[in-house]
Amino acid sequence: MAIDTQTVKKIAFLSRLKIEDDKIEAAKEEFDKILDWVEQLKEVDTDNVEPLISVNENHLILRKDEVTDGNQPEAVLANAPQKQYGYFTVPKVVE
């Protein structure tokens, strides 16, 4: 699949990349290589392969969700730049 100049510019715009006009041809070649690689991946037979959750064999250890150090509003608000009635206050952002 060949990529044209307009597609390169559109991809650059959508991905917030700045590609200079003299580099567009090189970007086209790179995108073509990527698409060729994706086409190669489509040819791989994955019918009898179980999907992986992770490439590592590590298992997550679950623990109980317990509050270990809470109910300290004064300590939490100690470094707050502004506070009122036991809550953080922030500048109004919507009028």
Side-chain angles (χ1 to χ4, degrees):
M1 174 183 211
I3 299 266
D4 60 349
T5 304
Q6 287 303 107
T7 306
V8 170
K9 289 181 180 180
K10 184 175 181 180
I11 291 170
F13 173 75
L14 292 174
S15 58
R16 306 297 190 255
L17 295 173
K18 182 178 180 182
I19 300 178
E20 302 295 333
D21 290 337
D22 59 333
K23 305 280 187 194
I24 287 180
E25 200 60 41
K28 283 171 50 174
E29 291 175 14
E30 287 296 318
F31 289 154
D32 283 335
K33 288 179 186 177
I34 292 168
L35 291 175
D36 289 341
W37 182 71
V38 171
E39 289 299 321
Q40 286 180 358
L41 287 177
K42 287 182 181 179
E43 295 173 5
V44 176
D45 180 24
T46 59
D47 289 338
N48 296 321
V49 178
E50 286 196 36
L52 292 173
I53 295 173
S54 173
V55 295
N56 298 327
E57 291 295 325
N58 298 339
H59 299 286
L60 293 177
I61 300 171
L62 300 178
R63 59 179 169 78
K64 289 178 105 176
D65 189 14
E66 297 175 347
V67 176
T68 55
D69 194 16
N71 201 18
Q72 298 181 20
E74 296 83 17
V76 171
L77 293 171
N79 291 324
Q82 296 176 337
K83 56 190 167 227
Q84 187 175 17
Y85 307 116
Y87 296 99
F88 291 100
T89 56
V90 294
K92 187 176 181 179
V93 293
V94 178
E95 305 252 349

